[in-house]
Amino acid sequence: MIDYFAKVLRAAWNTCKGLGLTLKYLFKPAITVHYPDEKLVPYERFRGALLFDAVTCISCNLCVKACPSTCIDLENATIPDPKNPQARKKVARVEWYSIDFGKCNFCRLCEESCPTKPKSVWHSLDYELVFFSRDEMVRCWKAGMSWVGQYWDRRAKQFKDPPGQVRIMEVDARR
Ligand code: SF4
Ligand code: SF4
């Protein structure tokens, strides 16, 4: 009989201990977030999806040479100097630029080798880069396209915006 009541008391004590622990954390601020409605922004050095700016790129090929995965391609072009369009002098720009994310190892060597200020190719904080087909892995940029770029849809024979691209840089920082 004594043994029975001891067991009941021990069970009640353990239940109270568990409830006490629950109460202790009930009124503390939550450390989890309601993903995907709420998103954590990684630290500045995080290597997310690569972005590219066709306006500042001087088509120097340094990123192509630095890339160990040979996933960058570009075609050179020359345009009238945007600072002095009347002059005969032309400046180097890219006709098109592409990165194959299927081969990229996110090493940041392209960004480090880029001589422009600000960088023309750089890692964003976007960790939600998703692809639904092989075509979407090859991101292309031309003058006039956004930094996120587009992909060439071989079936439709046209450039398309990458679906599911989350602009994590537009989400408020919560560190
Ligand atoms: S992050 Fe590395 S692998 Fe990816 S494109 Fe840049 S240099 Fe190439
Ligand atoms: S992205 Fe930078 S390193 Fe690559 S070609 Fe353009 S300016 Fe040169």
Side-chain angles (χ1 to χ4, degrees), residues 52 57-63 74 97 110 113-116 120-121:
F52 177 73
C57 173
I58 54 172
S59 199
C60 66
N61 268 298
L62 287 178
C63 55
L74 65 85
Y97 187 92
C110 52
S113 68
C114 183
T116 64
S120 299
V121 64

Side-chain angles (χ1 to χ4, degrees), residues 129-153:
L129 194 61
V130 287
F131 307 103
F132 298 97
S133 70
R134 184 68 182 93
D135 278 358
E136 290 171 30
M137 290 184 153
V138 183
R139 197 61 62 81
C140 306
W141 291 266
K142 282 179 157 203
M145 284 184 184
S146 76
W147 291 343
V148 172
Q150 293 188 323
Y151 73 95
W152 177 253
D153 187 328

Side-chain angles (χ1 to χ4, degrees), residues 1-10:
M1 195 71 174
I2 291 171
D3 193 37
Y4 171 76
F5 280 112
K7 278 182 184 169
V8 170
L9 278 174
R10 209 163 32 243

Side-chain angles (χ1 to χ4, degrees), residues 30-129:
I31 57 166
T32 52
V33 293
H34 292 282
Y35 183 88
D37 298 327
E38 200 179 6
K39 288 171 187 155
L40 291 172
V41 176
Y43 286 94
E44 290 304 318
R45 294 183 65 76
F46 180 77
R47 298 180 218 157
L50 283 160
L51 302 181
F52 177 73
D53 186 353
V55 175
T56 54
C57 173
I58 54 172
S59 199
C60 66
N61 268 298
L62 287 178
C63 55
V64 178
K65 287 179 189 159
C67 178
S69 308
T70 59
C71 52
I72 305 178
D73 253 323
L74 65 85
E75 188 169 316
N76 300 307
T78 50
I79 60 163
D81 188 350
K83 289 178 190 158
N84 188 5
Q86 309 304 330
R88 282 179 145 192
K89 189 182 154 205
K90 299 218 168 180
V91 292
R93 287 291 182 270
V94 282
E95 183 66 37
W96 54 260
Y97 187 92
S98 74
I99 296 176
D100 186 346
F101 282 112
K103 293 200 249 170
C104 176
N105 58 40
F106 292 75
C107 65
R108 201 190 277 268
L109 289 177
C110 52
E111 181 181 331
E112 285 174 3
S113 68
C114 183
T116 64
K117 285 192 175 84
K119 301 280 185 188
S120 299
V121 64
W122 70 98
H123 284 280
S124 67
L125 300 180
D126 182 3
Y127 50 82
E128 295 178 313
L129 194 61

